[in-house]
């Protein structure tokens, strides 16, 4: 949500007023779109990475506040759990040597943060879910001491009205309950932002939705939770269940979850903001004094704060974002699919693959979303989360014969999507050296059928076979992962095993 939220509670009139303000904001957004008031094309990208803090034993450390005090940089912020940090990279033009520059900045910043964390016997670990997290770690006492997190937790708990059920069937099964949303803090992600014009928004969002499964297949990095081996990318089912305001009866009625893939391709950004208002009750009915329609009548540009706040409590995997900088509004697609890690090189490779692929697909004269049913895209996402690099995805057949067929994700990437991503990076005017190096990382993952999740699982089982018990094997896997992460070579080169 990004802003400090302080309140003493809400009453019924607050919610009614907030709903009216949301409708005014939506009308204001419609006017801004109709009047073409948005920023000109800028080809801007941005990046956020959520991080874990772990001790020298591999166990989570609840020390984000003292670490942040030592880092003393506005680029680093709190996240939901006391063992979390977030780093934000300033927007930059998507061209030239952007990915090498990004990798250099991330390496420097994360290295500095790691050194500061070591002053309190912790270290930064960039991973989708820390394998050593236990259920006892994800309790209300370990919620970051920030008003907005406490308030959001209280409102989601009140809306649900009972404990949260975490029930994930994977290689093993996890079944437990939680009294707060803190288990969501286990999910540490990479968020990729792309500023787009209103005219291009629908094509970019549709393209991003279509490739979420491919992103997960090549980038999965979250196979463990609470000591159980679950899905290759366990964040999506965990995030959905840990923020689910629906008791079982509402789930049975088909009420949509707040963590949501969606249910259709869109024609404009307005479609998504309107759906968020229509389907999801407000959690944080905090009203601003701004009258958005009056601001527009006077020739100004409203900030639409209520709409932005509400939008931040609907957890789409590709989220529409309304932004406001120096009085000029803009739109972004925020891609929230990827887990953090394993290395800076891997993160940047995932970003290069995404930005190149989305550019190529958004400009295709035969749009992918006209040939791929949305239901197949949603099933693909679930399949990729379950199986990672070994997933088979439903994809339009080549040529004009039409139809959809199942294809191994690695073959799809190697044969069809990497050339598209390369063409997309060329269209962004990315330097060929950057293009070839970072897409080469994706290629090698596919050729070796290895990503962060497969390495973690294989190393864990190797540790078990060596005679370690489960807890010790998870700790050893985490420590070896952290060692190789800091060395910086991409995950497809990592040797399997704890030594």
């Amino acid at each position: 949500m990004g802003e400090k939220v302080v309140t003493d509670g809400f009453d019924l009139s607050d919610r009614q007023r907030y709903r009216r303000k949301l409708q005014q904001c939506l009308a204001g957004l419609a006017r801004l779109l109709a009047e073409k008031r948005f920023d000109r094309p800028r080809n801007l990208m941005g990046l956020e990475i959520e991080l874990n803090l772990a001790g020298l034993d591999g166990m989570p450390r609840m020390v984000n506040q003292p670490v942040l005090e030592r880092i003393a940089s506005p680029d680093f912020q709190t996240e939901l759990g006391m063992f979390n940090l977030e780093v934000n990279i300033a927007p930059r033009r998507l061209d030239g040597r952007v990915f090498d520059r990004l990798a250099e900045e991330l390496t420097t910043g994360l290295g500095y943060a790691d050194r500061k964390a070591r002053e309190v016997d912790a270290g930064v670990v960039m991973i989708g879910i820390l394998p050593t997290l236990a259920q006892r770690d994800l309790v209300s006492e370990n919620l970051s001491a920030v008003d907005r997190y406490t308030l959001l937790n209280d409102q989601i708990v009140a809306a649900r009205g009972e404990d949260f059920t975490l029930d994930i069937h994977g290689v093993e099964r996890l079944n437990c309950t939680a009294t707060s949303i803190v288990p969501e803090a286990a999910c540490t992600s990479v968020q990729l932002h792309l500023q787009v014009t209103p005219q291009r928004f629908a094509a970019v969002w549709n393209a991003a939705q279509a490739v979420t499964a491919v992103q997960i297949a090549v980038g999965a990095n979250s196979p463990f939770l609470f000591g159980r081996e679950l899905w290759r990318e366990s964040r999506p089912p965990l995030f959905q269940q840990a923020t689910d305001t629906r008791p079982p009866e509402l789930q049975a009625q088909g009420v949509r979850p707040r963590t949501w893939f969606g249910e259709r391709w869109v024609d404009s950004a307005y479609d998504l903001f309107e759906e968020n208002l229509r389907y999801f009750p407000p959690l944080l009915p905090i009203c601003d004094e701004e009258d958005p329609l009056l601001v527009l009548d006077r020739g100004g540009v409203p900030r639409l704060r209520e709409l932005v706040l509400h939008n931040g409590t609907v957890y789409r995997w590709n989220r529409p974002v309304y932004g406001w900088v120096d009085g000029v509004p803009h739109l972004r697609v925020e891609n929230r699919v990827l887990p953090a890690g394993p290395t800076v090189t891997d993160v940047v490779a995932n970003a290069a693959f995404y930005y190149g692929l989305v550019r190529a697909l958004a400009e295709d004269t035969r749009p992918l979303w006209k040939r791929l049913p949305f239901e197949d895209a949603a099933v693909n996402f679930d399949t990729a989360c379950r199986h990672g690099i070994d997933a088979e995805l439903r994809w339009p057949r080549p040529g004009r014969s039409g139809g959809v067929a199942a294809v191994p994700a690695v073959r799809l990437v190697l044969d069809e999507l990497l050339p598209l991503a390369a063409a997309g990076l060329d269209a962004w005017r990315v330097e060929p050296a950057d293009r070839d190096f970072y897409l080469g990382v994706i290629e090698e993952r596919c050729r070796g059928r290895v990503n962060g999740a497969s390495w973690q699982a294989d190393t864990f089982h190797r540790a078990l076979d060596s005679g370690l018990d489960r807890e010790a094997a998870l700790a050893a896997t985490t420590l070896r992962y952290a060692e190789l992460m800091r060395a910086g070579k991409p995950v497809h080169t990592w040797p399997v095993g704890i030594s």
Side-chain angles (χ1 to χ4, degrees), residues 19-222:
R19 185 174 286 110
R20 289 193 298 270
K21 284 296 296 287
L22 280 176
Q23 291 300 328
Q24 292 172 6
C25 287
L26 189 63
L29 176 65
R31 280 183 56 178
L32 287 167
L33 291 167
E35 296 170 9
K36 299 182 179 179
R37 300 281 296 277
F38 284 87
D39 199 2
R40 65 188 187 278
R42 288 179 178 269
N43 295 350
L44 289 179
M45 60 161 285
L47 183 75
E48 304 168 58
I49 307 177
E50 296 162 350
L51 307 163
N52 288 278
L53 293 168
L56 299 180
D57 56 359
M59 300 298 165
R61 292 273 286 143
M62 309 298 165
V63 291
N64 64 355
Q65 200 55 49
V67 170
L68 285 169
E69 290 170 359
R70 285 164 171 79
I71 294 173
S73 167
D75 293 340
F76 286 83
Q77 301 174 4
T78 55
E79 254 299 326
L80 185 65
M82 293 174 65
F83 59 95
N84 297 144
L85 300 176
E86 180 178 270
V87 59
N88 296 283
I89 301 301
R92 62 196 62 213
R93 283 188 61 83
L94 188 48
D95 60 13
R97 300 303 298 269
V98 60
F99 295 115
D100 260 359
R101 293 195 300 270
L102 178 62
E104 182 179 359
E105 182 174 341
L106 283 172
T107 300
T108 301
L110 294 176
Y112 177 74
D114 190 55
R115 291 192 297 275
K116 290 300 179 181
R118 289 180 181 274
E119 295 178 7
V120 291
D121 299 320
V124 171
V125 183
M126 187 166 55
I127 192 169
I129 297 176
L130 195 66
T132 51
L133 276 171
Q135 191 175 359
R136 64 180 177 272
D137 298 315
L138 297 177
V139 293
S140 299
E141 291 78 9
N142 290 333
L143 192 72
S144 289
V146 178
D147 292 320
R148 68 178 183 272
Y149 298 138
T150 301
L151 182 59
L152 182 63
N153 176 72
D154 292 346
Q155 293 301 304
I156 291 180
V157 169
R160 182 171 175 87
E162 59 187 72
D163 287 354
F164 297 87
T165 299
L166 306 179
D167 190 3
I168 305 173
H169 297 252
V171 176
E172 299 174 298
R173 182 181 181 185
L174 173 70
N175 184 267
C176 62
T177 59
T179 59
S180 72
I181 67 169
V182 181
E184 177 201 328
C187 306
T188 44
S189 307
V190 173
Q191 288 113 45
L192 302 173
H193 290 256
L194 181 60
Q195 184 174 325
V196 295
T197 62
Q199 294 76 21
R200 288 173 50 82
F201 183 94
V204 171
W205 188 86
N206 288 340
Q209 282 287 97
V211 302
T212 52
V214 177
Q215 289 181 272
I216 288 291
V218 299
N221 196 29
S222 314

Side-chain angles (χ1 to χ4, degrees), residues 235-407:
R235 289 166 38 259
L238 170 59
F239 204 106
Q240 177 174 322
Q241 294 176 19
T243 60
D244 202 342
T245 55
R246 309 167 303 161
E249 295 81 5
L250 292 183
Q251 295 180 35
Q253 292 174 36
V255 173
R256 295 158 181 84
R258 296 191 85 95
T259 300
W260 196 37
F261 186 80
E263 59 193 18
R264 65 185 178 108
W265 307 117
V266 302
D267 297 316
S268 76
Y270 182 89
D271 293 350
L272 298 172
F273 287 101
E274 188 276 333
E275 279 186 350
N276 286 354
L277 268 62
R278 179 155 42 101
Y279 294 146
F280 301 105
L283 289 176
L284 302 171
I286 302 168
C287 288
D288 186 68
E289 294 303 315
E290 176 187 77
D291 182 329
L293 300 181
L294 182 60
V295 170
L296 281 166
D297 289 341
R298 292 174 174 173
V301 174
R303 291 178 179 262
L304 306 183
R305 287 188 178 93
E306 291 85 0
L307 189 70
V308 170
L309 179 60
H310 181 64
N311 193 58
T313 65
V314 179
Y315 304 104
R316 294 179 182 269
W317 295 109
N318 285 291
R319 176 187 275 164
V321 178
Y322 173 87
W324 189 98
V325 178
D326 296 330
V328 180
H330 68 264
L331 293 172
R332 302 195 305 273
V333 174
E334 180 190 9
N335 178 263
R336 308 174 61 252
V337 173
L338 289 165
T343 66
V344 167
T345 297
D346 288 300
V347 168
V348 176
N350 289 340
F353 183 52
Y354 168 76
Y355 286 120
L357 193 52
V358 163
R359 173 71 183 255
L361 292 175
E363 295 181 350
D364 196 329
T365 56
R366 298 179 63 228
L368 176 62
W369 50 97
K370 301 292 186 183
R371 298 177 285 136
L372 180 69
F374 193 91
E375 294 77 11
D376 283 341
V379 169
N380 282 346
F381 181 64
D382 184 84
T383 300
C385 290
R386 290 177 183 273
H387 302 293
I389 201 80
D390 296 318
E392 286 201 351
L393 307 177
R394 294 185 57 75
W395 203 258
R397 293 187 179 92
R400 297 187 175 274
S401 58
V404 174
V407 58

